Amino acid sequence: MTARPTLEKVAERAGVSRATVSRVVNGSAHVTPEIRAAVLRAVEELGYVPNLAARSLATRRADSVALVFSEPPTRVFSDDPMFPSLIRGVSRETEAADKHLVLMLAGSPRGQERVERYATAGHLDGVIVASMHGADPLPAVLARRGVPVVCSGRSLTAGARGAPPCVDVENVRGAERAVEHLVTAGRRRIATIAGPQDMVAGIDRLTGYRNVLRGSDRRSIVAVGDFTRESGIAAMRQLLRDDPGLDAVFAASDMMALGALQVLRQAGRRVPHDVAVVGFDDVPAASYAEPPLTTVRQPLHRMGRELARLVLTLASGQDPGAPVILPTELVVRDSA
Amino acid sequence: MTARPTLEKVAERAGVSRATVSRVVNGSAHVTPEIRAAVLRAVEELGYVPNLAARSLATRRADSVALVFSEPPTRVFSDDPMFPSLIRGVSRETEAADKHLVLMLAGSPRGQERVERYATAGHLDGVIVASMHGADPLPAVLARRGVPVVCSGRSLTAGARGAPPCVDVENVRGAERAVEHLVTAGRRRIATIAGPQDMVAGIDRLTGYRNVLRGSDRRSIVAVGDFTRESGIAAMRQLLRDDPGLDAVFAASDMMALGALQVLRQAGRRVPHDVAVVGFDDVPAASYAEPPLTTVRQPLHRMGRELARLVLTLASGQDPGAPVILPTELVVRDSA
DNA sequence: ATGCTGTCTGAGAGCGCTCTCTGCCGTTCG
DNA sequence: CGAACGGCAGAGAGCGCTCTCAGACAGCAT
């Protein structure tokens, strides 16, 4: 049962040498058609499947990449509805390249160390770090160890020489579009629920908001959240206290926007009549919120794909090229 | 940089043999304290990390398990908010056991084959198949190949000898609780949006509904969906047509319940005043629906953990024991 | 002293694969 | 017609680790 046939067996059966079988199996060059056919037949008959560990040992490649979530796992995997799409995108590319995808949750220091060890152990051709936190030390640590690393979201320390390549979205532009939409609709007192200011996405989206307001004659009204729904609730309450007359809110994440929606409803404000709300991310729940949420879409799936592509090129020793910046898109629904 | 130190180097440095270093590294038995210390020092100084491929080749273990989603990936990973929790649960156990988690999406035939090959290639100690579809051939195929497999959700063909062990939840009981809650509240015309009848969860939850109605003097009103929100919308419309006088709905999934909520709102029915709604799953969005959804909670995280535990015991050659059936719990919020 | 047990270490044979190197052949060129 | 060439198969040396086996040596009883 567990006695899988080896190259040796196949070679014997096909009446050739191990090396030849290896050539055929790896689809490589110059093998006479008849011999190739004989080998393939033997492979078929024996149900031969190469032992990956042995191959990996001999080639010093691993044929797999890791996707690590470098956040406290609770947060990432329950509250944040964006990761599934990202995973799917990554998975799609890795499968196309016939690589395997190892998932690692590295929220704790122990987790970090695990990732480090695993990568160092040569079981990984590359690592994708999906941590939105700019100050995360993991990418740098891995890079220093010689492991190909790419990041989702521009690192806070980007620009520094040797910073890992990354895939990011047009956060500033997206936020600008959202706020412009509000301005165009004639909203006068446009507040924002900003994201955490230690994350690039948080910073950039606030910048976008400020850019537009500066260009119009409106003043900014800011509360800061951490992208979660709970923080959105708290921030919205704060905003209502600070400026009861506000007529629009741009939330830097959909989850915060959803929280805001709830608070507004409880406060008796009609959305969008009294207060317009725009979110950011376009998570699935945005489309079936009440009212459906106008938001800025991030191409998560595509990000995942690019991330995978990037790490794969990097792993193959090629130049990853310039950072990939993906476009965002305003999706207008009913909330604004 | 890439020249990682080998056991050999460490042995040399510590002035012992390879075997001894191996013993120390693997924490195994009888090694004199001084020698152990010397080895550890050498390991430290050289920054030694064992090469997993080599170990795997020598031990014929892989130290990793796969979590495979055997559904068309689009559906699983965008619409279904339950998988993240499951993943987290699995991940937690595998990390605790110092195993690695490989994620595979096997929606397509090609994907299935990949999983099969990979498992057969000896790169996996075990496989967790998270397919809710009862008729999925993958578990059986793998089992026949001698790969330890566990399933989430009782297989439709369960009971058959040699069926892989599984982790399931009390679907029938959960559904009963939900409907009992509705009956107790004095609802007279209780409809259900059932799940797909080729999945155990779909079947069992409908059974639970029927059990309770049979016990009271109410007749059943059934529409069938496929657990998605869209299908919930369609089913709710159907139900409203079939019996405009209904005063309660039990949906076999939260996503369908969310869809139903939307339809009811559009139809001008107040929830829970005119129509009470109960869902199933307790996805994150349930708690912030409008109104917050009363639902039956599945212990997803725990399911993940149990799944991992099960596959790990199975992989270690031990008896997995009886199928694990996890309890469900009625979470009463505002919608019923 | 001798033999015995028992603990600890080293030697060495793999695990299954890849890949370089060498040798063989048939072809083409000087 | 012999030499040089080029395509193709085989031999064999690892890749880095584990693990069995046997040897060395200490401690104890005889």
PDB file of all heavy atoms in Angstrom, chain A residues 67 69 80-92 281-284 298-305, chain B residues 73-74 76-79 84 105:
ATOM      1  N   LEU A  67       2.009  31.795   2.279  1.00  0.00           N
ATOM      2  CA  LEU A  67       1.258  33.031   2.416  1.00  0.00           C
ATOM      3  C   LEU A  67       1.133  33.238   3.913  1.00  0.00           C
ATOM      4  O   LEU A  67       0.502  32.434   4.602  1.00  0.00           O
ATOM      5  CB  LEU A  67      -0.120  32.887   1.778  1.00  0.00           C
ATOM      6  CG  LEU A  67      -1.101  34.037   1.993  1.00  0.00           C
ATOM      7  CD1 LEU A  67      -0.515  35.356   1.521  1.00  0.00           C
ATOM      8  CD2 LEU A  67      -2.402  33.761   1.267  1.00  0.00           C
ATOM      9  N   PHE A  69       0.029  35.447   7.187  1.00  0.00           N
ATOM     10  CA  PHE A  69      -0.761  36.547   7.725  1.00  0.00           C
ATOM     11  C   PHE A  69      -0.113  36.965   9.019  1.00  0.00           C
ATOM     12  O   PHE A  69      -0.111  36.226   9.990  1.00  0.00           O
ATOM     13  CB  PHE A  69      -2.196  36.116   7.956  1.00  0.00           C
ATOM     14  CG  PHE A  69      -2.936  35.931   6.673  1.00  0.00           C
ATOM     15  CD1 PHE A  69      -3.178  34.672   6.188  1.00  0.00           C
ATOM     16  CD2 PHE A  69      -3.339  37.031   5.936  1.00  0.00           C
ATOM     17  CE1 PHE A  69      -3.842  34.492   4.981  1.00  0.00           C
ATOM     18  CE2 PHE A  69      -4.001  36.861   4.728  1.00  0.00           C
ATOM     19  CZ  PHE A  69      -4.248  35.597   4.253  1.00  0.00           C
ATOM     20  N   ASP A  80     -12.039  40.236   9.203  1.00  0.00           N
ATOM     21  CA  ASP A  80     -11.689  40.837   7.940  1.00  0.00           C
ATOM     22  C   ASP A  80     -12.110  39.988   6.763  1.00  0.00           C
ATOM     23  O   ASP A  80     -11.562  38.926   6.504  1.00  0.00           O
ATOM     24  CB  ASP A  80     -10.183  41.059   7.899  1.00  0.00           C
ATOM     25  CG  ASP A  80      -9.860  42.129   6.890  1.00  0.00           C
ATOM     26  OD1 ASP A  80     -10.488  42.124   5.824  1.00  0.00           O
ATOM     27  OD2 ASP A  80      -8.999  42.955   7.179  1.00  0.00           O
ATOM     28  N   PRO A  81     -13.087  40.457   6.043  1.00  0.00           N
ATOM     29  CA  PRO A  81     -13.653  39.635   4.982  1.00  0.00           C
ATOM     30  C   PRO A  81     -12.841  39.732   3.697  1.00  0.00           C
ATOM     31  O   PRO A  81     -13.256  39.233   2.669  1.00  0.00           O
ATOM     32  CB  PRO A  81     -15.035  40.253   4.761  1.00  0.00           C
ATOM     33  CG  PRO A  81     -15.060  41.533   5.546  1.00  0.00           C
ATOM     34  CD  PRO A  81     -13.708  41.759   6.137  1.00  0.00           C
ATOM     35  N   MET A  82     -11.683  40.331   3.764  1.00  0.00           N
ATOM     36  CA  MET A  82     -10.938  40.532   2.531  1.00  0.00           C
ATOM     37  C   MET A  82      -9.952  39.419   2.236  1.00  0.00           C
ATOM     38  O   MET A  82      -9.575  39.205   1.097  1.00  0.00           O
ATOM     39  CB  MET A  82     -10.209  41.855   2.586  1.00  0.00           C
ATOM     40  CG  MET A  82     -11.161  43.016   2.841  1.00  0.00           C
ATOM     41  SD  MET A  82     -10.395  44.582   2.533  1.00  0.00           S
ATOM     42  CE  MET A  82      -9.165  44.568   3.802  1.00  0.00           C
ATOM     43  N   PHE A  83      -9.557  38.741   3.256  1.00  0.00           N
ATOM     44  CA  PHE A  83      -8.529  37.747   3.039  1.00  0.00           C
ATOM     45  C   PHE A  83      -8.940  36.574   2.165  1.00  0.00           C
ATOM     46  O   PHE A  83      -8.131  36.095   1.379  1.00  0.00           O
ATOM     47  CB  PHE A  83      -7.952  37.294   4.372  1.00  0.00           C
ATOM     48  CG  PHE A  83      -7.093  38.373   4.963  1.00  0.00           C
ATOM     49  CD1 PHE A  83      -7.581  39.245   5.910  1.00  0.00           C
ATOM     50  CD2 PHE A  83      -5.798  38.558   4.504  1.00  0.00           C
ATOM     51  CE1 PHE A  83      -6.798  40.283   6.403  1.00  0.00           C
ATOM     52  CE2 PHE A  83      -5.013  39.586   5.000  1.00  0.00           C
ATOM     53  CZ  PHE A  83      -5.508  40.449   5.950  1.00  0.00           C
ATOM     54  N   PRO A  84     -10.157  36.109   2.272  1.00  0.00           N
ATOM     55  CA  PRO A  84     -10.528  35.023   1.376  1.00  0.00           C
ATOM     56  C   PRO A  84     -10.239  35.314  -0.090  1.00  0.00           C
ATOM     57  O   PRO A  84      -9.658  34.491  -0.787  1.00  0.00           O
ATOM     58  CB  PRO A  84     -12.015  34.855   1.646  1.00  0.00           C
ATOM     59  CG  PRO A  84     -12.175  35.262   3.062  1.00  0.00           C
ATOM     60  CD  PRO A  84     -11.213  36.388   3.257  1.00  0.00           C
ATOM     61  N   SER A  85     -10.609  36.486  -0.542  1.00  0.00           N
ATOM     62  CA  SER A  85     -10.364  36.813  -1.947  1.00  0.00           C
ATOM     63  C   SER A  85      -8.883  36.822  -2.252  1.00  0.00           C
ATOM     64  O   SER A  85      -8.436  36.372  -3.306  1.00  0.00           O
ATOM     65  CB  SER A  85     -10.930  38.185  -2.283  1.00  0.00           C
ATOM     66  OG  SER A  85     -12.314  38.187  -2.100  1.00  0.00           O
ATOM     67  N   LEU A  86      -8.146  37.353  -1.317  1.00  0.00           N
ATOM     68  CA  LEU A  86      -6.703  37.413  -1.507  1.00  0.00           C
ATOM     69  C   LEU A  86      -6.145  35.998  -1.642  1.00  0.00           C
ATOM     70  O   LEU A  86      -5.394  35.681  -2.566  1.00  0.00           O
ATOM     71  CB  LEU A  86      -6.074  38.106  -0.293  1.00  0.00           C
ATOM     72  CG  LEU A  86      -4.671  38.622  -0.501  1.00  0.00           C
ATOM     73  CD1 LEU A  86      -4.683  39.802  -1.450  1.00  0.00           C
ATOM     74  CD2 LEU A  86      -4.052  39.018   0.823  1.00  0.00           C
ATOM     75  N   ILE A  87      -6.560  35.157  -0.740  1.00  0.00           N
ATOM     76  CA  ILE A  87      -6.108  33.772  -0.764  1.00  0.00           C
ATOM     77  C   ILE A  87      -6.453  33.114  -2.083  1.00  0.00           C
ATOM     78  O   ILE A  87      -5.638  32.440  -2.700  1.00  0.00           O
ATOM     79  CB  ILE A  87      -6.770  32.954   0.366  1.00  0.00           C
ATOM     80  CG1 ILE A  87      -6.284  33.449   1.723  1.00  0.00           C
ATOM     81  CG2 ILE A  87      -6.472  31.475   0.201  1.00  0.00           C
ATOM     82  CD1 ILE A  87      -6.876  32.674   2.884  1.00  0.00           C
ATOM     83  N   ARG A  88      -7.654  33.374  -2.509  1.00  0.00           N
ATOM     84  CA  ARG A  88      -8.091  32.760  -3.746  1.00  0.00           C
ATOM     85  C   ARG A  88      -7.222  33.202  -4.919  1.00  0.00           C
ATOM     86  O   ARG A  88      -6.840  32.401  -5.766  1.00  0.00           O
ATOM     87  CB  ARG A  88      -9.551  33.132  -4.005  1.00  0.00           C
ATOM     88  CG  ARG A  88     -10.316  32.119  -4.777  1.00  0.00           C
ATOM     89  CD  ARG A  88     -11.786  32.241  -4.498  1.00  0.00           C
ATOM     90  NE  ARG A  88     -12.278  33.569  -4.786  1.00  0.00           N
ATOM     91  CZ  ARG A  88     -12.569  33.999  -6.030  1.00  0.00           C
ATOM     92  NH1 ARG A  88     -12.408  33.194  -7.056  1.00  0.00           N
ATOM     93  NH2 ARG A  88     -13.023  35.208  -6.214  1.00  0.00           N
ATOM     94  N   GLY A  89      -6.895  34.490  -4.923  1.00  0.00           N
ATOM     95  CA  GLY A  89      -6.053  34.996  -5.994  1.00  0.00           C
ATOM     96  C   GLY A  89      -4.676  34.359  -5.968  1.00  0.00           C
ATOM     97  O   GLY A  89      -4.158  33.897  -6.984  1.00  0.00           O
ATOM     98  N   VAL A  90      -4.110  34.316  -4.804  1.00  0.00           N
ATOM     99  CA  VAL A  90      -2.786  33.727  -4.665  1.00  0.00           C
ATOM    100  C   VAL A  90      -2.832  32.265  -5.090  1.00  0.00           C
ATOM    101  O   VAL A  90      -2.020  31.805  -5.889  1.00  0.00           O
ATOM    102  CB  VAL A  90      -2.289  33.809  -3.205  1.00  0.00           C
ATOM    103  CG1 VAL A  90      -1.025  33.001  -3.027  1.00  0.00           C
ATOM    104  CG2 VAL A  90      -2.050  35.259  -2.808  1.00  0.00           C
ATOM    105  N   SER A  91      -3.796  31.585  -4.556  1.00  0.00           N
ATOM    106  CA  SER A  91      -3.939  30.164  -4.833  1.00  0.00           C
ATOM    107  C   SER A  91      -4.046  29.893  -6.319  1.00  0.00           C
ATOM    108  O   SER A  91      -3.427  28.958  -6.850  1.00  0.00           O
ATOM    109  CB  SER A  91      -5.179  29.652  -4.117  1.00  0.00           C
ATOM    110  OG  SER A  91      -5.560  28.422  -4.635  1.00  0.00           O
ATOM    111  N   ARG A  92      -4.803  30.719  -6.977  1.00  0.00           N
ATOM    112  CA  ARG A  92      -4.976  30.517  -8.395  1.00  0.00           C
ATOM    113  C   ARG A  92      -3.649  30.557  -9.158  1.00  0.00           C
ATOM    114  O   ARG A  92      -3.378  29.711  -9.999  1.00  0.00           O
ATOM    115  CB  ARG A  92      -5.921  31.596  -8.911  1.00  0.00           C
ATOM    116  CG  ARG A  92      -5.856  31.682 -10.381  1.00  0.00           C
ATOM    117  CD  ARG A  92      -7.048  32.348 -10.951  1.00  0.00           C
ATOM    118  NE  ARG A  92      -6.821  32.445 -12.380  1.00  0.00           N
ATOM    119  CZ  ARG A  92      -7.714  32.841 -13.250  1.00  0.00           C
ATOM    120  NH1 ARG A  92      -8.895  33.163 -12.814  1.00  0.00           N
ATOM    121  NH2 ARG A  92      -7.439  32.892 -14.517  1.00  0.00           N
ATOM    122  N   ASP A 281     -13.117  49.283   0.226  1.00  0.00           N
ATOM    123  CA  ASP A 281     -12.777  47.848   0.156  1.00  0.00           C
ATOM    124  C   ASP A 281     -13.715  47.075  -0.755  1.00  0.00           C
ATOM    125  O   ASP A 281     -13.290  46.211  -1.488  1.00  0.00           O
ATOM    126  CB  ASP A 281     -12.795  47.132   1.525  1.00  0.00           C
ATOM    127  CG  ASP A 281     -11.700  47.615   2.445  1.00  0.00           C
ATOM    128  OD1 ASP A 281     -10.704  48.164   1.944  1.00  0.00           O
ATOM    129  OD2 ASP A 281     -11.834  47.450   3.677  1.00  0.00           O
ATOM    130  N   ASP A 282     -14.994  47.390  -0.644  1.00  0.00           N
ATOM    131  CA  ASP A 282     -16.027  46.605  -1.301  1.00  0.00           C
ATOM    132  C   ASP A 282     -15.996  45.150  -0.864  1.00  0.00           C
ATOM    133  O   ASP A 282     -15.833  44.231  -1.652  1.00  0.00           O
ATOM    134  CB  ASP A 282     -15.934  46.690  -2.828  1.00  0.00           C
ATOM    135  CG  ASP A 282     -17.220  46.178  -3.483  1.00  0.00           C
ATOM    136  OD1 ASP A 282     -18.254  46.181  -2.808  1.00  0.00           O
ATOM    137  OD2 ASP A 282     -17.172  45.760  -4.650  1.00  0.00           O
ATOM    138  N   VAL A 283     -16.194  44.970   0.414  1.00  0.00           N
ATOM    139  CA  VAL A 283     -16.343  43.609   0.938  1.00  0.00           C
ATOM    140  C   VAL A 283     -17.722  43.109   0.539  1.00  0.00           C
ATOM    141  O   VAL A 283     -18.591  43.911   0.196  1.00  0.00           O
ATOM    142  CB  VAL A 283     -16.200  43.589   2.480  1.00  0.00           C
ATOM    143  CG1 VAL A 283     -14.847  44.143   2.879  1.00  0.00           C
ATOM    144  CG2 VAL A 283     -17.314  44.349   3.156  1.00  0.00           C
ATOM    145  N   PRO A 284     -17.922  41.797   0.565  1.00  0.00           N
ATOM    146  CA  PRO A 284     -19.216  41.261   0.148  1.00  0.00           C
ATOM    147  C   PRO A 284     -20.386  41.901   0.891  1.00  0.00           C
ATOM    148  O   PRO A 284     -21.409  42.223   0.290  1.00  0.00           O
ATOM    149  CB  PRO A 284     -19.100  39.773   0.495  1.00  0.00           C
ATOM    150  CG  PRO A 284     -17.642  39.477   0.453  1.00  0.00           C
ATOM    151  CD  PRO A 284     -16.956  40.730   0.890  1.00  0.00           C
ATOM    152  N   GLN A 298     -11.351  47.453  -4.040  1.00  0.00           N
ATOM    153  CA  GLN A 298      -9.966  47.018  -4.190  1.00  0.00           C
ATOM    154  C   GLN A 298      -9.991  45.716  -4.964  1.00  0.00           C
ATOM    155  O   GLN A 298     -10.759  44.823  -4.640  1.00  0.00           O
ATOM    156  CB  GLN A 298      -9.362  46.658  -2.847  1.00  0.00           C
ATOM    157  CG  GLN A 298      -9.268  47.728  -1.842  1.00  0.00           C
ATOM    158  CD  GLN A 298      -8.221  47.341  -0.820  1.00  0.00           C
ATOM    159  OE1 GLN A 298      -7.045  47.243  -1.117  1.00  0.00           O
ATOM    160  NE2 GLN A 298      -8.646  47.089   0.394  1.00  0.00           N
ATOM    161  N   PRO A 299      -9.118  45.551  -5.928  1.00  0.00           N
ATOM    162  CA  PRO A 299      -9.108  44.297  -6.687  1.00  0.00           C
ATOM    163  C   PRO A 299      -8.335  43.223  -5.922  1.00  0.00           C
ATOM    164  O   PRO A 299      -7.233  42.850  -6.290  1.00  0.00           O
ATOM    165  CB  PRO A 299      -8.392  44.688  -7.976  1.00  0.00           C
ATOM    166  CG  PRO A 299      -7.480  45.801  -7.570  1.00  0.00           C
ATOM    167  CD  PRO A 299      -8.115  46.500  -6.419  1.00  0.00           C
ATOM    168  N   LEU A 300      -8.967  42.726  -4.877  1.00  0.00           N
ATOM    169  CA  LEU A 300      -8.301  41.784  -3.976  1.00  0.00           C
ATOM    170  C   LEU A 300      -7.802  40.537  -4.686  1.00  0.00           C
ATOM    171  O   LEU A 300      -6.683  40.076  -4.485  1.00  0.00           O
ATOM    172  CB  LEU A 300      -9.293  41.357  -2.910  1.00  0.00           C
ATOM    173  CG  LEU A 300      -9.158  41.872  -1.489  1.00  0.00           C
ATOM    174  CD1 LEU A 300      -8.072  42.895  -1.337  1.00  0.00           C
ATOM    175  CD2 LEU A 300     -10.472  42.355  -0.975  1.00  0.00           C
ATOM    176  N   HIS A 301      -8.677  39.998  -5.498  1.00  0.00           N
ATOM    177  CA  HIS A 301      -8.321  38.775  -6.191  1.00  0.00           C
ATOM    178  C   HIS A 301      -7.092  39.013  -7.060  1.00  0.00           C
ATOM    179  O   HIS A 301      -6.129  38.232  -7.044  1.00  0.00           O
ATOM    180  CB  HIS A 301      -9.505  38.326  -7.043  1.00  0.00           C
ATOM    181  CG  HIS A 301      -9.303  37.020  -7.702  1.00  0.00           C
ATOM    182  ND1 HIS A 301      -8.964  36.898  -9.015  1.00  0.00           N
ATOM    183  CD2 HIS A 301      -9.352  35.771  -7.207  1.00  0.00           C
ATOM    184  CE1 HIS A 301      -8.844  35.622  -9.318  1.00  0.00           C
ATOM    185  NE2 HIS A 301      -9.076  34.913  -8.241  1.00  0.00           N
ATOM    186  N   ARG A 302      -7.130  40.109  -7.748  1.00  0.00           N
ATOM    187  CA  ARG A 302      -6.018  40.457  -8.612  1.00  0.00           C
ATOM    188  C   ARG A 302      -4.749  40.707  -7.788  1.00  0.00           C
ATOM    189  O   ARG A 302      -3.644  40.339  -8.186  1.00  0.00           O
ATOM    190  CB  ARG A 302      -6.428  41.704  -9.399  1.00  0.00           C
ATOM    191  CG  ARG A 302      -5.380  42.285 -10.239  1.00  0.00           C
ATOM    192  CD  ARG A 302      -5.722  42.285 -11.721  1.00  0.00           C
ATOM    193  NE  ARG A 302      -4.559  42.837 -12.423  1.00  0.00           N
ATOM    194  CZ  ARG A 302      -4.452  44.121 -12.763  1.00  0.00           C
ATOM    195  NH1 ARG A 302      -5.450  44.948 -12.549  1.00  0.00           N
ATOM    196  NH2 ARG A 302      -3.344  44.556 -13.340  1.00  0.00           N
ATOM    197  N   MET A 303      -4.918  41.329  -6.643  1.00  0.00           N
ATOM    198  CA  MET A 303      -3.769  41.546  -5.768  1.00  0.00           C
ATOM    199  C   MET A 303      -3.122  40.226  -5.407  1.00  0.00           C
ATOM    200  O   MET A 303      -1.900  40.080  -5.437  1.00  0.00           O
ATOM    201  CB  MET A 303      -4.200  42.235  -4.473  1.00  0.00           C
ATOM    202  CG  MET A 303      -4.387  43.716  -4.600  1.00  0.00           C
ATOM    203  SD  MET A 303      -4.904  44.450  -3.013  1.00  0.00           S
ATOM    204  CE  MET A 303      -3.365  44.377  -2.087  1.00  0.00           C
ATOM    205  N   GLY A 304      -3.965  39.282  -5.065  1.00  0.00           N
ATOM    206  CA  GLY A 304      -3.456  37.970  -4.724  1.00  0.00           C
ATOM    207  C   GLY A 304      -2.659  37.379  -5.873  1.00  0.00           C
ATOM    208  O   GLY A 304      -1.562  36.846  -5.693  1.00  0.00           O
ATOM    209  N   ARG A 305      -3.204  37.519  -7.056  1.00  0.00           N
ATOM    210  CA  ARG A 305      -2.531  36.968  -8.225  1.00  0.00           C
ATOM    211  C   ARG A 305      -1.189  37.646  -8.452  1.00  0.00           C
ATOM    212  O   ARG A 305      -0.175  36.991  -8.704  1.00  0.00           O
ATOM    213  CB  ARG A 305      -3.414  37.101  -9.454  1.00  0.00           C
ATOM    214  CG  ARG A 305      -4.698  36.305  -9.316  1.00  0.00           C
ATOM    215  CD  ARG A 305      -5.516  36.356 -10.576  1.00  0.00           C
ATOM    216  NE  ARG A 305      -4.746  35.868 -11.713  1.00  0.00           N
ATOM    217  CZ  ARG A 305      -5.210  35.822 -12.947  1.00  0.00           C
ATOM    218  NH1 ARG A 305      -6.435  36.221 -13.195  1.00  0.00           N
ATOM    219  NH2 ARG A 305      -4.456  35.378 -13.920  1.00  0.00           N
TER     220      ARG A 305
ATOM    221  N   PRO B  73     -14.081  27.197  -6.347  1.00  0.00           N
ATOM    222  CA  PRO B  73     -13.459  28.182  -5.471  1.00  0.00           C
ATOM    223  C   PRO B  73     -14.214  29.493  -5.348  1.00  0.00           C
ATOM    224  O   PRO B  73     -14.240  30.095  -4.299  1.00  0.00           O
ATOM    225  CB  PRO B  73     -12.098  28.423  -6.103  1.00  0.00           C
ATOM    226  CG  PRO B  73     -12.135  27.767  -7.424  1.00  0.00           C
ATOM    227  CD  PRO B  73     -13.234  26.780  -7.417  1.00  0.00           C
ATOM    228  N   THR B  74     -14.845  29.906  -6.391  1.00  0.00           N
ATOM    229  CA  THR B  74     -15.558  31.169  -6.334  1.00  0.00           C
ATOM    230  C   THR B  74     -16.544  31.159  -5.187  1.00  0.00           C
ATOM    231  O   THR B  74     -16.594  32.071  -4.377  1.00  0.00           O
ATOM    232  CB  THR B  74     -16.388  31.389  -7.609  1.00  0.00           C
ATOM    233  OG1 THR B  74     -15.775  30.685  -8.655  1.00  0.00           O
ATOM    234  CG2 THR B  74     -16.495  32.850  -7.924  1.00  0.00           C
ATOM    235  N   VAL B  76     -16.884  29.136  -2.521  1.00  0.00           N
ATOM    236  CA  VAL B  76     -16.329  28.982  -1.193  1.00  0.00           C
ATOM    237  C   VAL B  76     -15.738  30.258  -0.654  1.00  0.00           C
ATOM    238  O   VAL B  76     -16.069  30.716   0.409  1.00  0.00           O
ATOM    239  CB  VAL B  76     -15.189  27.951  -1.200  1.00  0.00           C
ATOM    240  CG1 VAL B  76     -14.460  27.985   0.127  1.00  0.00           C
ATOM    241  CG2 VAL B  76     -15.734  26.590  -1.480  1.00  0.00           C
ATOM    242  N   PHE B  77     -14.854  30.801  -1.466  1.00  0.00           N
ATOM    243  CA  PHE B  77     -14.037  31.829  -0.877  1.00  0.00           C
ATOM    244  C   PHE B  77     -14.547  33.235  -0.959  1.00  0.00           C
ATOM    245  O   PHE B  77     -13.990  34.136  -0.400  1.00  0.00           O
ATOM    246  CB  PHE B  77     -12.630  31.735  -1.431  1.00  0.00           C
ATOM    247  CG  PHE B  77     -11.780  30.987  -0.494  1.00  0.00           C
ATOM    248  CD1 PHE B  77     -11.625  29.624  -0.625  1.00  0.00           C
ATOM    249  CD2 PHE B  77     -11.181  31.640   0.564  1.00  0.00           C
ATOM    250  CE1 PHE B  77     -10.862  28.925   0.274  1.00  0.00           C
ATOM    251  CE2 PHE B  77     -10.418  30.937   1.462  1.00  0.00           C
ATOM    252  CZ  PHE B  77     -10.255  29.583   1.320  1.00  0.00           C
ATOM    253  N   SER B  78     -15.615  33.446  -1.683  1.00  0.00           N
ATOM    254  CA  SER B  78     -16.094  34.812  -1.637  1.00  0.00           C
ATOM    255  C   SER B  78     -17.351  34.859  -0.819  1.00  0.00           C
ATOM    256  O   SER B  78     -17.511  35.683   0.060  1.00  0.00           O
ATOM    257  CB  SER B  78     -16.363  35.338  -3.036  1.00  0.00           C
ATOM    258  OG  SER B  78     -16.071  34.366  -3.988  1.00  0.00           O
ATOM    259  N   ASP B  79     -18.212  33.926  -1.079  1.00  0.00           N
ATOM    260  CA  ASP B  79     -19.512  34.083  -0.500  1.00  0.00           C
ATOM    261  C   ASP B  79     -19.640  33.463   0.875  1.00  0.00           C
ATOM    262  O   ASP B  79     -20.443  33.894   1.678  1.00  0.00           O
ATOM    263  CB  ASP B  79     -20.543  33.448  -1.429  1.00  0.00           C
ATOM    264  CG  ASP B  79     -21.826  34.251  -1.407  1.00  0.00           C
ATOM    265  OD1 ASP B  79     -21.716  35.479  -1.281  1.00  0.00           O
ATOM    266  OD2 ASP B  79     -22.897  33.655  -1.481  1.00  0.00           O
ATOM    267  N   PRO B  84     -13.092  31.067   6.881  1.00  0.00           N
ATOM    268  CA  PRO B  84     -12.000  31.644   7.659  1.00  0.00           C
ATOM    269  C   PRO B  84     -11.898  31.075   9.075  1.00  0.00           C
ATOM    270  O   PRO B  84     -10.817  30.701   9.519  1.00  0.00           O
ATOM    271  CB  PRO B  84     -12.333  33.132   7.670  1.00  0.00           C
ATOM    272  CG  PRO B  84     -13.034  33.351   6.380  1.00  0.00           C
ATOM    273  CD  PRO B  84     -13.848  32.102   6.174  1.00  0.00           C
ATOM    274  N   LEU B 105      -7.261  24.388  -3.132  1.00  0.00           N
ATOM    275  CA  LEU B 105      -8.607  24.589  -3.634  1.00  0.00           C
ATOM    276  C   LEU B 105      -8.817  23.577  -4.745  1.00  0.00           C
ATOM    277  O   LEU B 105      -8.135  23.611  -5.768  1.00  0.00           O
ATOM    278  CB  LEU B 105      -8.737  26.016  -4.166  1.00  0.00           C
ATOM    279  CG  LEU B 105      -9.163  27.086  -3.163  1.00  0.00           C
ATOM    280  CD1 LEU B 105      -8.773  26.745  -1.743  1.00  0.00           C
ATOM    281  CD2 LEU B 105      -8.647  28.443  -3.553  1.00  0.00           C
TER     282      LEU B 105
END
